[in-house]
Amino acid sequence: APGKPVLLLLSPTAFSTTCARCGKDRRLRQKRALSERQLTRYFVDHRKVRVVGGRGGAGGHSFYSEPRKIFGGPDGGNGGDGGHVILKADQQTKSLSSVLPFYQGFHGERGGRKNCYGANGACVYVKVPVGTLVKEDGEVVADLTQHGEEYVAAYGGAGGKGNRFFLSNENRSPTLFTPGDPGQERVLHLELKTTAHAGLVGFPNAGKSSLLRAISRAKPAVAAYPFTTLNPHVGIVHYQDYEQVAVADIPGLIKGAHQNRGLGVTFLKHIERCRFLLFVVDLSVPQPWIQLQDLKYELEQYDKGLSERPCVVIGNKIDLAESRINLPLLREQVAERVIALSALTGDNVEELLWHLRELYDTYVKTEQSRGQSPVKW
C-alpha cells in the first residue's frame, strides 16, 4: 500500500552451505556411519552369475470327444514359453551385493485340452546398479548406463507343439507332440563402474574422505593412516534448485597404480565414468604440484585421455602454516584453477560448491547439445 514501508527478503545464495559447521545441525537425521569392514559386506563391485532361462512347456496330447461327436480330432495346445532372466539397471541399487550367484527363469506350462495354450513362464528381473558392465568370456556384451535399461541375460526356451499343430490332410489323427526347449544357459561377469558426476582423485591421506564428508552427507571412514578408504563412496551435493551432483570418493592412488600396485586397477576403473575430476593435493607437503603430475600420469597410463577431462585442483589443508607457503607456488606451477580450502574446518568449501555447480551445468549443456540425456540423481 502507498505510504507503507516495504520489506524485501533477499534469498540466500542458490547453493547449499553444506560445510562441516552447517552439517552438525543435521546430525540426528543422518544415517549411521559404517566402518570400512562393515561396508565391505554392502559394497561389491564385481560378481559372477550363472543365469538359465526357463524351460518351455511341453505340447498337449489329446483328442476332442463329447457325446454324439466321438471322433472330434486332435485338440492338444502348444506349451508356453519359458521366462527370461533380465538384468535391469536401477538407480536405487548402489552395489552388486544383492545379486545372487544363480538365477533361473520360470518354466512354461504344458499345453492343455481344447486347444488351450500353456501359460508363458514369468521373467525374472535382477536389479543391478546403474553403470554395470556385463561381460561374457572377457568380452563386454552390455553396458547398463541409464535407469530402467534392460538386458536379456538368458532367453527362455520355446514351448513345445501340441498334436493339434501336426494336423494335416494326410494325417487326420496325429499323435505326435514335442517337448519344450531348454532355456539358454550362460555364465556372466558383472562389473560395476561407479557412475558419478565428479570423482575425487588423490594420493592417500590427501583428505578426500574428509572433503566428501564436508560437502555431502556421506560418511566415509577418516583416520590418520594410508588406505583408510577401501571402497568407493558416493556423496550427493544438494542445491536449492533441487539439482543433485554426485561426487565419488575414489580410494587413494599411488605410483604404479596402472600396473595394479596398491589398490591399482580395481579402483581406477571407477574414474572412467566420472564426467569431471577433482584432483585433491595435500598443500602441507613439499612441492605439492608433484602429486598432481603423478596423478595425471597414472590416469593417462591407464586410459589415454582420461586426465584431460574437465577438472579443478583442490589444495587441501589450507589451515596449516606450510600450506599457506606452498599455495602461491602451486598456482605458479599448474595451469588449472586451484581452490584452496580446509575440509577439516570448512574454510572456503563454498567456493568449491560454486565451481562444482559450474562444471555440472557445463556437462548438462554439452550432453543436451549432443542430443543425449545427462545422468541425473
Side-chain angles (χ1 to χ4, degrees):
K4 293 185 178 181
V6 179
L7 178 62
L8 295 179
L9 296 178
L10 298 179
S11 61
T13 175
F15 302 99
S16 65
T17 54
T18 52
C19 62
R21 303 166 184 169
C22 303
K24 295 179 181 179
D25 298 334
R26 297 176 294 197
R27 185 178 301 171
L28 296 177
R29 293 184 293 170
Q30 294 173 350
K31 297 181 179 179
R32 62 185 180 92
L34 296 176
S35 65
E36 284 294 327
R37 181 175 297 180
Q38 292 173 324
L39 186 64
T40 305
R41 300 200 305 264
Y42 295 94
F43 184 85
V44 177
D45 60 353
H46 62 277
R47 184 74 85 186
K48 181 179 179 181
V49 184
R50 178 170 165 259
V51 290
V52 181
R55 176 182 290 275
H61 175 262
S62 64
F63 287 88
Y64 185 76
S65 178
E66 65 177 12
R68 296 182 300 276
K69 193 173 183 181
I70 302 176
F71 303 103
D75 66 346
N78 298 338
D81 297 333
H84 310 319
V85 179
I86 301 176
L87 303 179
K88 186 174 183 178
D90 181 56
Q91 195 171 4
Q92 302 300 323
T93 305
K94 303 302 180 184
S95 172
L96 294 174
S97 58
S98 61
V99 178
L100 302 178
F102 176 75
Y103 289 95
Q104 184 174 19
F106 291 92
H107 302 313
E109 294 185 2
R110 185 185 183 92
R113 301 181 57 188
K114 298 182 180 180
N115 298 322
C116 291
Y117 283 30
N120 295 333
C123 297
V124 174
Y125 286 87
V126 183
K127 292 184 178 180
V128 296
V130 176
T132 301
L133 275 178
V134 184
K135 294 184 178 181
E136 184 179 19
D137 297 331
E139 297 183 0
V140 178
V141 295
D143 189 0
L144 306 178
T145 58
Q146 299 292 334
H147 175 69
E149 191 174 356
E150 298 180 358
Y151 172 71
V152 181
Y155 287 93
K161 303 298 184 183
N163 61 340
R164 170 73 181 182
F165 178 82
F166 299 98
L167 176 64
S168 63
N169 291 332
E170 292 76 15
N171 188 2
R172 304 303 302 172
S173 57
T175 58
L176 178 64
F177 65 97
T178 59
D181 296 334
Q184 184 182 17
E185 182 175 354
R186 303 170 70 184
V187 176
L188 303 175
H189 293 266
L190 305 183
E191 180 179 317
L192 174 60
K193 292 185 177 181
T194 305
T195 302
H197 300 117
L200 293 173
V201 184
F203 282 97
N205 281 359
K208 301 183 300 299
S209 299
S210 300
L211 181 59
L212 187 64
R213 293 168 71 102
I215 65 177
S216 70
R217 293 185 179 182
K219 289 295 182 181
V222 176
Y225 54 84
F227 298 111
T228 308
T229 303
L230 299 177
N231 298 279
H233 295 258
V234 179
I236 307 301
V237 181
H238 298 269
Y239 293 91
Q240 290 189 358
D241 57 353
Y242 303 105
E243 286 288 353
Q244 299 179 358
V245 180
V247 181
D249 176 16
I250 309 299
L253 304 178
I254 63 173
K255 293 183 179 180
H258 68 280
Q259 299 174 347
N260 213 16
R261 294 180 183 175
L263 299 177
V265 179
T266 305
F267 296 108
L268 274 171
K269 62 186 179 183
H270 291 283
I271 307 177
E272 293 183 40
R273 297 295 177 88
C274 297
R275 273 58 182 182
F276 38 90
L277 305 178
L278 307 178
F279 291 104
V280 182
V281 295
D282 187 356
L283 285 178
S284 62
V285 301
Q287 297 181 341
W289 54 88
I290 302 297
Q291 294 186 12
L292 181 62
Q293 297 174 2
D294 293 338
L295 289 173
K296 289 187 175 182
Y297 176 77
E298 294 298 329
L299 296 182
E300 200 66 23
Q301 291 298 315
Y302 173 74
D303 186 7
K304 188 174 181 59
L306 185 59
S307 63
E308 299 176 358
R309 295 187 180 181
C311 65
V312 62
V313 180
I314 301 174
N316 195 16
K317 305 181 183 181
I318 193 59
D319 52 309
L320 302 179
E322 301 87 351
S323 302
R324 299 188 186 96
I325 300 175
N326 294 330
L327 178 59
L329 301 178
L330 175 63
R331 287 175 171 167
E332 293 177 359
Q333 295 291 332
V334 300
E336 295 83 359
R337 178 176 178 177
V338 178
I339 298 178
L341 53 82
S342 175
L344 180 62
T345 62
D347 294 336
N348 207 31
V349 173
E350 196 68 20
E351 182 182 354
L352 173 61
L353 296 176
W354 275 89
H355 190 65
L356 184 64
R357 181 58 187 271
E358 292 176 1
L359 292 173
Y360 174 76
D361 292 339
T362 303
Y363 155 72
V364 171
K365 294 179 181 178
T366 302
E367 292 296 312
Q368 292 177 349
S369 63
R370 297 175 181 175
Q372 301 177 359
S373 58
V375 176
K376 295 285 187 177
W377 281 76

